[in-house]
Amino acid sequence: MIRSALFLCSGLLLFLAAACTSNSNSAAEETAAAPAVAAELPGKALYTQNCAVCHGPDGKLGLNGAHDLTKSNLNATGRVYMVTQGLGKMPSFKNQLSPEQIQQVVDYSLTLK
Ligand code: HEC
């Protein structure tokens, strides 16, 4: 009887200690990761969904004659035009993406180096 109570007690303590450490860890990770994720995300997700097929996750794939985005000299205005209107084998995204999303994905594409 006493033994099982002791067992239960130390088991509970272990559990509490584990719950406690994992809680404080994930809280710390969240606060540390939040700003980076916010700065990175909207355009990156759009890029992965819409552009990576041809340009690759890093912009260098060049499938079907897609240009290497890390070597592109086009500025933001040129890229917005390109993504909105398309050119040659590059599809137009004006029916898939809002102007705001196009701006975000272009901003992300400019970070590929
Ligand atoms: C179906 C394949 C395909 C997809 C999907 C695609 N592209 Fe392209 N992209 C191309 C091709 C092909 C070219 C070259 C077009 C040309 O010059 O004739 C190109 C060219 C470009 C250029 C111009 C690079 C330069 O300096 O010449 C930019 C910028 C660009 N794409 C951005 C994007 C972005 C951003 C997305 C996603 C919203 C995207 N592309 C999706 C095929 C694709």
Side-chain angles (χ1 to χ4, degrees):
M1 189 58 187
I2 292 169
R3 237 194 230 165
S4 65
L6 266 177
F7 178 76
L8 224 170
C9 206
S10 56
L12 198 69
L13 267 177
L14 268 179
F15 171 76
L16 280 176
C20 216
T21 28
S22 71
N23 264 349
S24 56
N25 270 350
S26 66
E29 270 162 29
E30 268 167 37
T31 25
V37 167
E40 210 183 77
L41 264 184
K44 187 175 184 178
L46 290 168
Y47 181 88
T48 310
Q49 283 163 20
N50 298 286
C51 324
V53 232
C54 295
H55 290 285
D58 57 0
K60 295 183 189 175
L61 183 62
L63 203 81
N64 291 320
H67 293 183
D68 183 340
L69 295 181
T70 65
K71 300 215 175 91
S72 169
N73 291 321
L74 277 181
N75 63 13
T77 313
R79 291 182 186 214
V80 166
Y81 181 85
M82 186 84 201
V83 175
T84 311
Q85 304 298 329
L87 178 70
K89 288 192 201 142
M90 162 91 187
S92 151
F93 284 90
K94 61 174 177 249
N95 296 324
Q96 275 106 299
L97 302 176
S98 70
E100 195 193 17
Q101 289 175 314
I102 290 177
Q103 189 64 54
Q104 288 171 344
V105 82
V106 162
D107 285 346
Y108 177 71
S109 81
L110 287 163
T111 69
L112 300 169
K113 289 269 174 308

